[in-house]
Amino acid sequence: MNERAIGQLSGLAGRLVIEGLLTADEAKAAQREAVYERVPLVKYLVDKRNLDSERIAEIASMEFGVPLFDIGAFNMGALPAGLVDVALVQKHHALPLFRRGNRLFIAVSDPTNLAALDEIKFHTGINTDAVLVEERALSKVIAEWIDAQDTLTDGLGDLESEDLEGIDISAVEDREGEEASDTSSIDETPIVRFVNKVLIDAIKQGASDIHFEPYEKTYRVRFRTDGILREVVKPPKTLAPRLAARLKIMSQMDISERRVPQDGRIQMRLSRNRNIDFRVNTLPTLFGEKVVLRILDPSSAQMGIDALGYEEEQKAMYLNALSKPQGMILVTGPTGSGKTVSLYTGLNLLNQPERNISTAEDPVEINLEGINQVHVNHKVGLGFAEALRAFLRQDPDVIMVGEIRDLETAEIAIKAAQTGHLVLSTLHTNSAAETVTRLLNMGVPSFNLATSVNLIIAQRLARRLCKECSEPANLPLDVLLEEGFTEEQLQDADIRKAVGCDHCKDGYKGRVGIYEVVRITPTISQLILEQGNARQIHEQARKEGFNDIHTSALRKVAQGVTSLEEVNRVTTD
């Protein structure tokens, strides 16, 4: 063998010639072609010349004194995330494996690939060391890693690059004097882009909540869309602390505190005229911090009462109660039933320059121009009762209490309703009749209750059938009658079922309100004075023509707005 020819070959190529795997001419040609194709020499030799990958690895290990690492036994879930991008890994065919202190160990099939080590060091700011891995195994692991990155960055559907332009994501200061923590270690571009994409995609899909959930071996992100939680992406488990930290930074929380729940807010500016707020809460769980974001869209308060789904007679009763100068309107239902939107819609109708409107909320969910909104803070002694007392000294016309939770708040609200103020509030009960008995059980005197409450609205949210794909549901007459339909209703009914298409999710798109609206008539008022039970009040309301939740829901089914299955899911009667 010509020693001069071999000497002209650098690095691993010369050793492969000495070992007889290549001739000097073949090695030189391989080097030129690898450079031309912009791939590492070892990858070129294995892929294009079909040389033995394991033999090349053994030779490299002996020549350069680098141990051969069995990457097949490595836990892929432990790969460091967010340090280098896909382009850099593909360019050098080198993958960061693990970090020890200030040293980052890089898997390579050629230990003389110093360009890879230097460039990764430049991008990460961390000293690098080579870890020798057999070429075919390395290619397989890199392919799997790239697939995982595609899931991370594009798993929510491809968002065009312009979707991220002009978007201003910032924290909303809810606590004075609190300084933001050092964010330099968390501001990693892949994490930032991923979180931004999740928030944008949730808005696009009309989600109401986003759940970031860590588990022992997995991590998932779920959206609540039309009241149903659905998994949308499963990022690598190793990203859990970074994702939680990024969300906490955005919402001005303490990223060093992981032992107790925290609350915050994020504001996203979609355009000059539209902002979206996110109410953020963290919860320490067994395997890390779960973060839930409630999406608060101010435009939902301005959609108008006609879009909420009230029947004509129900809408008329609500508008009539809003027009009164005093009294109380109570909106009731379980969490997530749309009470806030109903209240804000009413407030928006009342929001005129001649009225002084004040609200006490925990927390303030939607900002409304022209309304004095107070965020109650129990830590400093500002609860609903304290806010109400202050409102009464501020010359109010309309007062909204986020929720009546105790007797003190109930008594002040009722006193306000009796002394010339219109009061709106919510309770967590299932029906109008139960709202009355709940207040009586709190200790509110029946006389005060009977003379102050004007209207009670109990509500649910049901998914709307997709207009593109719903089909007629051919159900037997006896089944429909048993569900509560009347024969008169069924004569013109358009009862449909969910199918599912590209325009919807499982046959549904959007939601509609289902309501029980009960006006406190003289007869019902007398029943309250006599401290009648919920069943008696319920039966009297039916006699006076006020439909309960289930009956109102059946109307929506007969109109083809929703399905019988969906009605049975959301109503309890």
Side-chain angles (χ1 to χ4, degrees), residues 190-199 243 246-247 250:
I191 298 295
V192 172
R193 286 187 59 83
F194 175 71
V195 171
N196 289 356
K197 285 187 177 185
V198 170
L199 302 188
L243 289 171
R246 173 62 185 164
L247 291 165
M250 293 167 70

Side-chain angles (χ1 to χ4, degrees), residues 85-360:
D85 58 26
V86 170
L88 191 59
V89 170
Q90 290 176 321
K91 175 183 177 181
H92 293 294
H93 199 60
L95 181 67
L97 282 182
F98 53 89
R99 180 177 178 176
R100 294 288 182 270
N102 194 37
R103 304 205 72 80
L104 185 63
F105 293 86
I106 312 297
V108 294
S109 55
D110 181 354
T112 64
N113 188 1
L114 301 180
L117 302 181
D118 290 342
E119 191 165 353
I120 291 174
K121 177 182 177 180
F122 175 79
H123 278 273
T124 61
I126 306 171
N127 293 323
T128 54
D129 285 326
V131 173
L132 182 61
V133 175
E134 182 258 314
E135 167 55 33
R136 292 199 186 278
L138 179 61
S139 293
K140 179 181 177 183
V141 170
I142 288 177
E144 291 173 355
W145 181 84
I146 291 173
D147 286 343
Q149 301 311 296
D150 288 342
T151 300
L152 171 63
T153 56
D154 299 317
L156 300 174
D158 290 331
L159 293 174
E160 298 298 328
S161 59
E162 56 265 25
D163 289 335
L164 297 176
E165 291 181 5
I167 291 176
D168 178 18
I169 300 177
S170 58
V172 176
E173 295 281 0
D174 281 337
R175 295 164 290 181
E176 294 185 6
E178 215 171 274
E179 296 182 357
S181 303
D182 178 19
T183 65
S184 58
S185 63
I186 307 298
D187 191 18
E188 302 171 15
T189 299
I191 298 295
V192 172
R193 286 187 59 83
F194 175 71
V195 171
N196 289 356
K197 285 187 177 185
V198 170
L199 302 188
I200 295 166
D201 211 50
I203 295 169
K204 280 184 168 185
Q205 295 187 24
S208 61
D209 302 86
I210 310 171
H211 293 241
F212 292 82
E213 302 172 309
Y215 297 96
E216 183 177 8
K217 297 180 180 178
T218 60
Y219 189 91
R220 68 178 177 181
V221 179
R222 292 192 291 173
F223 292 170
R224 186 179 294 279
T225 309
D226 296 336
I228 305 296
L229 273 171
R230 294 181 177 86
E231 183 179 295
V232 292
V233 67
K234 295 184 75 171
K237 172 68 171 68
T238 52
L239 289 185
R242 288 192 178 96
L243 289 171
R246 173 62 185 164
L247 291 165
K248 289 165 75 174
I249 287 167
M250 293 167 70
S251 48
Q252 286 291 301
M253 297 180 191
D254 181 359
I255 65 169
S256 65
E257 179 56 78
R258 302 182 182 91
R259 301 165 298 173
V260 296
Q262 295 187 65
D263 292 291
R265 290 173 76 93
I266 298 170
Q267 186 174 85
M268 175 181 284
R269 179 166 295 135
L270 297 180
S271 65
R272 181 173 297 178
N273 300 318
R274 189 185 178 198
N275 293 337
I276 299 288
D277 288 346
F278 298 83
R279 190 180 76 205
V280 187
N281 176 265
T282 66
L283 179 70
T285 69
L286 190 59
F287 300 107
E289 286 183 288
K290 175 177 179 177
V291 185
V292 176
L293 289 76
R294 166 66 58 89
I295 302 175
L296 309 172
D297 187 355
S299 63
S300 63
Q302 301 171 356
M303 59 195 299
I305 194 169
D306 292 326
L308 298 184
Y310 286 95
E311 300 295 333
E312 285 302 318
E313 66 273 16
Q314 294 176 334
K315 182 176 73 172
M317 284 189 283
Y318 189 19
L319 292 175
N320 182 60
L322 288 169
S323 68
K324 293 184 180 300
Q326 66 183 49
M328 180 178 284
I329 299 172
L330 295 173
V331 181
T332 180
T335 300
S337 60
K339 300 187 297 297
T340 300
V341 172
S342 285
L343 279 181
Y344 276 122
T345 301
L347 288 176
N348 207 47
L349 293 171
L350 294 169
N351 190 10
Q352 302 295 330
E354 64 269 16
R355 290 194 181 96
N356 177 23
I357 304 175
S358 296
T359 73

